[in-house]
Amino acid sequence: MAQEAIVMENLCKDFKVLNRREGLKGSIQDLFSRDYKTVSAVKDVSVTINKGEIVGYLGPNGAGKSTTIKMMTGVLEPTSGKILVNGLVPYKDRTRNCENIGVVFGQRSQLWWALPLVESFKLLRDLYMVPQKEYDEMIELYRSLVDIEPILHKTVRQMSLGQRTLSDILAAFLHNPGIVFLDEPTIGLDVSMKSKIRDLILGLNKEKNTTVILTTHDMGDVDALCKRIVIIDKGSKIYDNDIEHLKTYFGSYRTLRVRLDNNDTWEETLIDEKTTDVMTVITEYQKSHKVKDIQLQEISTEEVIKKLYEGGSV
Amino acid sequence: MSKKRGLKFYLSIYRKILIQDLKSKMSYRADFVISTIGMIMTNLAGFITFIVLFHNFPTINGWDLNHMLFLYGFSLLALTPVQCFFDNNWNLRTHVYSGDFIKYCFRPVNIFFYFMSEVFDVKGLGQLAFGLGTLIYAWAKIGIPVTFLTVGQALVFTFTASLFMIAIMNVAAATCFWIQGSGYVMVIMFRFKDFARYPASIFNSVFKAIFTFIIPIAFVAYYPSLVFLQPDNVPVLTWLSPLIGLVFFFLSYAFWMLGVRKYDFTGS
C-alpha cells in the first residue's frame, strides 16, 4: 500500500447559487426566469497527507473546510481535480471508502440516541463487519486510554456534551479506520474534557497509526495535536507546513515586555529578530530608565493565524 | 479487502437494529401505552365512520358492505409496511434542512436502507391486526374459497400492493431535496391513501386515470382485490400490478437516491 493517506490535486468545487432579485416583483421574476451564479467554494487545492499524520485543517468560517471534508468522505463530487483517499475515489466508491474512514462532527452525534453506548458499539461492529477479536482488543485499548465505564451503559440522550463527543470519537475509531476526520471535536467543552479528548486522540493515533484530519477554531487543539497545518481561505490554500514554521511565517517575531523604574505597567515591543537584536532594544531602554523586570514572549499560534485570516498574504 | 454486503447482511443488521429499537421503546412505558391507545382509537374511528356510512348507503356502485369491508381490510394490510418500515420518510425533511442528514452518508451501507432502518413504527402493527381481522371476516362472509391458490395470491398481492404506497411516500419525501414546502406534499400524498378504500370504478375516468397512473393509489387495494371479488372479470392491470409495483418502487428509490446525490449539503 502507498504511503499517502490522502492525495488531492487541483481540487475544485463550485456551487450554483440562485441570484435572488429584490422585492416582491423580483420574487415573481425569480419564479419564471432563474438566474444562477457560480460560487467557488474550493479552488485549486493540492495537498498530500501521509499515513499516521495528524494534520490541522484550518481556515476562517466559510473558507471551504467542510466542503473539502465532504469531498474526502465521498458526500460531494468535486467539480474538477483529482482526489484519492486510501487509494479510492471517494465519490465513486462511497461505500468502500466509508469502510476505512471515521467521521466526527462536533455538534451532531451519529450514534443511536435511544441506545446505551455499548449497544451502539455492537451495531457499529456488525455494520463494519469487525471481527469479534479486533472489537474486543479495541475496547481494551479504549479502557487503557480513558475511563469508559461511566458512559458505556448510558444512552446518548442522557449524556453530557463532553461524554457525547467522547462517545462519538470512540465510535469513529471503532472499526480501526485508516483516516479519521474530526470536525471541531472540542467545541463547547470544558478545559478538563478538552484535554481528555486531546490525549485520547493522541493515544489512538500513536497506537493505531491512524491519520487524523482535524478542523478546529481552537488553537489549543492545534498546539496539542498537530505537527503540520494546512490553512485555506476563500477556497484557496494559503499555508501548508509545520506548525513550527508558522511561527516564523511573518518573520521571527517575539514580544519583549519590560517594566521600568517603579512603574507597575508593562511596556511591550514587538521585535523582528531578523532585523533587530533583542539585546539592542534592552540596552536602548537601559540608557534612559532603570529596567526592573524583563519578559520575552513567543508569538502564539493564535496570533499568527489571526494575522493570516486577516489577510496577511504569502 | 472490501467486504461483501448482501441481502443476508442487510436482513441481519435490520433485525439487530429493530430489536434494540423495540427494547428502548418499551423502556419508555407511558409513551408506548399512549401510542398504542392512540393507534387503536384511530383505527376504530375509521372503522366506525365506515360502518355508519354503509348504514345509509347499502351499496356503492354495486359493491355491498362485505365487498367494501374486503377492500378496507386489504388496504389496511397493504398500508402496514409503509407505516412500519418507512415511517422515517416523515423525518427526512427535518434531517435535510438541519444538515443532520449528512450523518447517514458516512456508513459503508446503502443510505436509503440505513436511513429507514432507524425508525420502526409500532403503530403499524395495530393496523395489521385490524386489517387482518376485517379481511378474514369479509373473506368468510363473501365465501371466497380457501385454497393454496387464493391464499398465495392474497400474500403476493398484498405484498406488491404495499409497494405502491411506499413508492408514493418515497417520492413525496424526496421532494425535500429540491423544494422547501415538501411537508405539504407529504401530507397531501398521505391523504390520498383514504381513496384506496373505495372502488376506483366510482371515480370518473379522469380521476381513475390519475389514481392509476400518476398517483397509483388504485393499486393499493382496488385492482388487487378484483382477483378475489370479481374472479371472472379481472382486468389486465390487476395481473400486471405486481410488476408495476416493483417498477414504481424502484423508480421512487432511484428518485430518492438522486436527491441525495444532487443535494449540496451546504453549511457545516
Side-chain angles (χ1 to χ4, degrees), chain A residues 192-261:
Chain A
S192 111
M193 202 54 174
K194 269 186 188 172
S195 97
K196 221 187 246 181
I197 281 179
R198 287 169 190 160
D199 289 345
L200 175 70
I201 296 169
L202 276 180
L204 287 167
N205 164 263
K206 209 174 132 217
E207 283 296 320
K208 295 288 175 186
N209 197 34
T210 315
T211 312
V212 176
I213 312 294
L214 171 81
T215 73
T216 183
H217 292 296
D218 185 333
M219 289 311 135
D221 289 349
V222 179
D223 283 325
L225 295 172
C226 312
K227 274 215 182 67
R228 173 185 171 193
I229 55 177
V230 175
I231 305 177
I232 66 164
D233 190 14
K234 298 185 189 78
S236 305
K237 186 173 86 175
I238 57 172
Y239 182 87
D240 177 4
N241 209 324
D242 284 353
I243 190 158
E244 289 308 317
H245 179 84
L246 182 76
K247 291 188 178 171
T248 57
Y249 191 72
F250 292 105
S252 308
Y253 285 103
R254 286 195 196 178
T255 310
L256 174 73
R257 305 176 78 208
V258 287
R259 226 158 57 158
L260 303 169
D261 304 323

Side-chain angles (χ1 to χ4, degrees), chain A residues 15 66 70 73 75-76 91 94-96 98-99 103 105 108 110 115 119 124 126-129 157, chain B residues 2-5 9 13 16 20 28 98-100 102 105-109 111 261 264-265 267-268:
Chain A
F15 288 111
S66 288
K70 282 166 195 169
T73 51
V75 178
L76 285 180
Y91 184 71
R94 189 196 64 84
T95 334
R96 268 178 69 198
C98 283
E99 272 176 15
V103 186
F105 272 100
R108 26 186 87 120
Q110 295 169 49
L115 301 190
E119 299 298 345
L124 288 175
D126 296 336
L127 216 54
Y128 287 92
M129 301 171 112
R157 198 194 299 271
Chain B
S2 173
K3 293 150 184 164
K4 208 175 143 25
R5 291 180 168 83
F9 166 83
I13 285 287
K16 283 170 183 161
Q20 289 304 329
Y28 292 93
S98 70
D100 269 345
I102 199 167
C105 306
F106 298 141
R107 303 281 181 224
V109 288
I111 297 177
R261 269 209 307 285
D264 276 346
F265 297 103
S268 57

